[in-house]
Amino acid sequence: QVQLVESGGGLVQAGASLRLSCAASGRTVSSYEMGWFRQAPGKEREFVAAISRGGGDTNYADSVKGRFTISRDNAKNTLYLQMNSLKPEDTAVYYCAANARYSGTWLRVPQNYDYWGQGTHVTVSS
């Protein structure tokens, strides 16, 4: 089992950057494929980005491709999301998640994840 805690959210202006972190405790994070999701008010939780156990494979939602970068440091048991050129439509609660069973495009499905953090708020003003 793993516990996940996100940090790094905040209020920024459009065009700014933020880096989210997700610190894991319990079982080592290298055991899990991991992802970032977000949920805006009144909307369903949506896929943002995912990364394989070793970090060699990543995939992104079209809406963030080229602006966001997912990475991980297994030695530090931490997942990151670097967010550049932020837009007001990026405003949401951002969650990190971990799963040990699925990989590849299955990582885009939130129901395939076993463990979730509590979320960190990102607000982008225009």
Side-chain angles (χ1 to χ4, degrees), residues 20-83:
L20 305 183
S21 298
C22 172
S25 60
R27 193 174 177 184
T28 178
V29 72
S30 61
S31 300
Y32 300 95
E33 311 271 330
M34 300 194 72
W36 286 98
F37 291 78
R38 65 187 182 186
Q39 187 165 17
K43 295 187 176 181
E44 293 187 353
R45 192 167 298 190
E46 66 172 358
F47 169 76
V48 175
I51 189 167
S52 60
R53 286 177 175 83
D57 293 321
T58 58
N59 64 89
Y60 297 90
D62 288 343
S63 59
V64 307
K65 199 174 295 183
R67 299 188 297 122
F68 290 11
T69 302
I70 188 172
S71 62
R72 65 194 298 165
D73 186 336
N74 287 341
K76 294 183 178 180
N77 248 16
T78 304
L79 175 72
Y80 302 100
L81 184 69
Q82 177 67 43
M83 305 187 297

Side-chain angles (χ1 to χ4, degrees), residues 71-111:
S71 62
R72 65 194 298 165
D73 186 336
N74 287 341
K76 294 183 178 180
N77 248 16
T78 304
L79 175 72
Y80 302 100
L81 184 69
Q82 177 67 43
M83 305 187 297
N84 298 330
S85 302
L86 282 161
K87 304 176 181 180
E89 50 264 44
D90 295 319
T91 295
V93 178
Y94 283 71
Y95 299 90
C96 66
N99 100 91
R101 297 169 292 153
Y102 297 94
S103 61
T105 56
W106 295 106
L107 294 175
R108 293 173 172 258
V109 180
Q111 290 81 0

Side-chain angles (χ1 to χ4, degrees), residues 8-12 16-20 81-84 86 122-123:
L11 170 63
V12 297
S17 298
L18 279 175
R19 189 175 82 153
L20 305 183
L81 184 69
Q82 177 67 43
M83 305 187 297
N84 298 330
L86 282 161
V122 172
T123 303

